[in-house]
Amino acid sequence: MKKNSTLALFAAFIAFTTFSCSSDDKSEENTGGSDTGKTKYIITATTGATGVADYLLTADDVSTGSITTVGNGIEQDGTYRYYITAENNFFSLLYGQGNPGAVTTYNLNASGNLVKKSNFQAETVHVFAAVNSDILTVKVPRSGASIASMYKIDAKESLIKGEAQQDTKVLAGNGERAFFTWATQVGDKVYMPYMSIKGDGVDNFGTVNPDSTWVAVYNYPELKLQKVIKDNRTSYLGAYFTKGLFQDENGDAYGFSGAIATSNSVLVSKKPSAVVRIKKGTTEFDQSYFFNVEEKSGGYKISSTSYISNGKFLLLMYGNAGKNNGAVKLAVVDVYNQTFKWATNVPETLTSATSRYNITSEDGNSAIIGINTPEGNWIYTVNGTTGAATRGMKVEGGQITAIQKLKY
């Protein structure tokens, strides 16, 4: 029973939140027509139909009303799609199950309509992040060859403009292989947290190194490894397809660990789920800072994280199946003051949530998140200070998988 409970908990960490991800636009440039100063929201929703990924829906306001996939939106092809916004372009990446997949670029025209800009083929990747005016993507092997391939895509021109490689076994240096969880631009460098995994088809994501934290530092645009930042107060940052490192407005970087490392499908992390910090201008973990979120939450673990602003984050938390029924809850934290609050006015039962990569409200004080429940699917706004959630637009005809916005 103990093993089964642990397996269920780990599976929930991987499966609960939707894998359709998006990232905040890093540029003010408008490539979609005349600049009206207006913003339109892009909402992706899946009907669950075989062979169909998502529908792309657009709305001027997500705080009220309803929208539907029935007879509406732009249908995406393929089963799995992932999303990222950069240079005011919206990129839809097809996960090709190991094979190359289509990358389709959209933007808004002068009338605010979502239109296709380009379409090209790229490798199926596990990491994609906006860096400068590029999108950095990384294909990370879990078995066979140990070379991770990094691609730089010009976000304005939608063209691959460079590639670099990293031997993940050499990077790990411990008999296992490094598996990048995500990439984050920190200053003029790229910080790439990774987990250590056995790989090679034998307990692929298991490890004998569950309670260490690693961040590989690369220069950019050369993508040459400069250093690995290490710590052992918690486990790896982020998770598979999940960002775990964020830079704030002060230039400091905060890392979030779920402490969910396994071996032979059994949870083996001994350290708490926590937040660590790398101060601006340094390449070391700040030993004076440690935010024990698991303790503050009463035994819950971090599953995914979204940055709001000014040190405020929205967290999706999982409970221990044997301790608190494995409940799934939303919370807000202030990493500056190390305060923790459960979100209020949230549905009691969540089927899934778009909590991996959401957007911030226009006033910068709240996170906008899609919440799917057995009763229906809505877009909520969660205040980063109070934790109070406000229900907005209802999405009908499909579950919400991502939310983003573009200017036109």
Side-chain angles (χ1 to χ4, degrees), residues 283-299:
T283 51
E284 300 286 348
F285 284 107
D286 181 358
Q287 296 301 308
S288 71
Y289 182 92
F290 189 75
F291 182 7
N292 190 333
V293 175
E294 188 166 343
E295 180 180 57
K296 289 285 182 73
S297 66

Side-chain angles (χ1 to χ4, degrees), residues 22-87:
S22 56
S23 173
D24 284 343
D25 185 12
K26 299 177 73 66
S27 171
E28 295 300 316
E29 179 176 335
N30 183 349
T31 59
S34 60
D35 189 355
T36 65
K38 297 179 180 179
T39 296
K40 184 152 287 193
Y41 294 89
I42 315 299
I43 304 141
T44 70
T46 181
T47 64
T50 302
V52 177
D54 294 336
Y55 284 83
L56 306 184
L57 309 172
T58 59
D60 295 317
D61 182 11
V62 293
S63 65
T64 187
S66 65
I67 197 168
T68 180
T69 63
V70 179
N72 189 26
I74 300 174
E75 181 180 341
Q76 302 294 279
D77 63 329
T79 305
Y80 303 105
R81 283 275 178 169
Y82 311 104
Y83 306 102
I84 181 171
T85 300
E87 296 297 318

Side-chain angles (χ1 to χ4, degrees), residues 118 121 137 143 173 181 204 334:
S118 69
Q121 291 287 113
T137 66
S143 61
T181 57
N204 265 336
D334 183 330

